[in-house]
Amino acid sequence: MTAADTALSLLETLTDAPAAGTWSAPGRVNLIGEHTDYNDGFVFPFAIEHRTHLALAPRADRRIRVVSSFDPTPVEVELSALSELFPARREEVVEWARYPLGVAWALLESARQTGPDVMGVDLAIASDVPVGAGLSSSAAIEGATAVALDEVWGLGLDRVALAQVGRRAENEAVGAPTGIMDQMASMLGEPDAGIFLDCRSLDTEVVHLGFSDAGLELLVMDTGVTHAHSTGGYGERRAACERGAEIMGVRALRDLAVTDLPRAKTLMDEVTFRRVRHVVTENQRVLDAVASLRSQGPRSIGGLLDASHVSMRDDFEISVPELDLAVDTARNAGAIGARMTGGGFGGAAIALVDRELVPHVAAVVERAFAEAGFAAPHVFTVRPSAGAARDAAPATAP
């Protein structure tokens, strides 16, 4: 059964009303540019084929009810009560439901449209995006919810506005201090392309990746170590970045260049400086990666992927032993380059690998995990894919 089929089956547990349709949005892999987005910097993700699907049926009243494959227990709220729940009372809502309900709240706040012409809805959500792997299963939920509600409510928001709605939901309704990269990638993804994003201006450029023509695959190595962005280290890293920008007298770390780092080192404590150094050098690596792809092709970016991981491991300190083992093992087994991807403290690493070497690299990584006593990783390839949309051919519930 596909995720779309599962969503439709779940919808039938809520209502006898026919589905108005199914919508979906992808997870993403960030090729390079980690923790730069909330620093107004540059990122270079791409959408993947793994998607979250949402089935929707209209209601005659003004209530929103959600159910998901994560939890079969429905959560139901009056549309007018969303503004009372978010953000002040978000803890009263089970965490998974804060994502779709938060999007509904943020859409209504953004559109300032709370009149009787906004119908109540039943939503059912199912996903094949691995949760906790750093592939942004959260942005996939937000994206699928946003495009569905935007359409049925007739709000007419563009893709950038919908991405901003998703970020607001994650920041304020969920309580995760993330940037906008994940939502933009999920909304704007295109096949065989990455999205080069300026997180300050929100200007985007579609950049051809050329993996297939070069005989390359992107291998994801999901360590199975779960993380939660709304707690702990992620917020601490963001606070350090804001502190560093204040010390340097700039709006955001985006405004610093690599040549500013010697001065920064004299003004900051060691930990704050290392956090700043990661962001500043990572911004430059994104620019260098895009330039190298255009001029030399995908085989030229391996060293930048490697350097990105070292910076996240040593300066930002967001790696874990499983991620380091995956990266080092893949490189030693013949990968062109490898790095952890996502917010860190768990999740997945990626490796750019010659197509014929994929089985070998995967087997070597799996063996290394077994020898280290780690749980077996989930190793699979991903391909750059299309962004959020109404499903072209609605699935049929079994």
Side-chain angles (χ1 to χ4, degrees), residues 19-20 41 64 77 85 165 169 171 183 250 260-261 264 274 284 345 372 396-397:
I64 182 170
V77 181
L85 283 173
V165 162
N171 290 172
Q183 293 81 9
V250 294
D260 293 313
L261 290 175
R274 286 192 285 110
Q284 188 60 52
F345 309 105
T396 301

Side-chain angles (χ1 to χ4, degrees), residues 149-294:
L149 293 180
D150 177 69
E151 180 177 332
V152 300
W153 284 349
L155 302 180
L157 298 178
D158 65 26
R159 288 309 177 94
V160 172
L162 292 177
Q164 290 172 313
V165 162
R167 175 178 60 178
R168 185 177 184 188
E170 188 143 351
N171 290 172
E172 299 182 39
V174 178
T178 58
I180 200 169
M181 172 185 68
D182 296 350
Q183 293 81 9
M184 290 288 278
S186 188
M187 281 290 169
L188 299 172
E190 294 191 16
D192 199 27
I195 304 299
F196 175 39
L197 169 64
D198 181 333
C199 293
R200 172 171 287 171
S201 68
L202 300 187
D203 290 339
T204 59
E205 187 174 350
V206 176
V207 179
H208 180 66
L209 291 171
F211 291 167
S212 181
D213 291 344
L216 298 174
E217 299 279 356
L218 196 79
L219 193 67
V220 174
M221 300 166 285
D222 180 4
T223 66
V225 179
T226 58
H227 57 194
H229 283 175
S230 58
T231 58
Y234 192 103
E236 293 169 4
R237 299 308 187 278
R238 183 162 186 164
C241 293
E242 292 169 353
R243 184 166 61 250
E246 182 179 3
I247 290 170
M248 294 297 288
V250 294
R251 174 179 165 187
L253 295 184
R254 147 72 173 274
D255 299 307
L256 298 181
V258 173
T259 53
D260 293 313
L261 290 175
R263 175 171 171 264
K265 188 173 184 179
T266 68
L267 299 176
M268 301 173 189
D269 64 88
E270 180 188 356
V271 171
T272 301
F273 171 69
R274 286 192 285 110
R275 306 297 187 250
V276 168
R277 181 168 60 186
H278 164 71
V279 173
V280 172
T281 57
E282 186 79 346
N283 268 327
Q284 188 60 52
R285 282 187 287 270
V286 174
L287 298 174
D288 292 344
V290 171
S292 293
L293 277 166
R294 288 172 172 152

Side-chain angles (χ1 to χ4, degrees), residues 6 33 52 59 71 81 101 109 119 125 130 163 166 175 241 302 305 312 358:
T6 300
T52 291
R59 296 171 58 99
D71 184 346
L101 293 179
E109 291 286 305
M119 69 180 77
I125 297 167
C241 293
L305 301 180
M312 288 185 284
V358 166

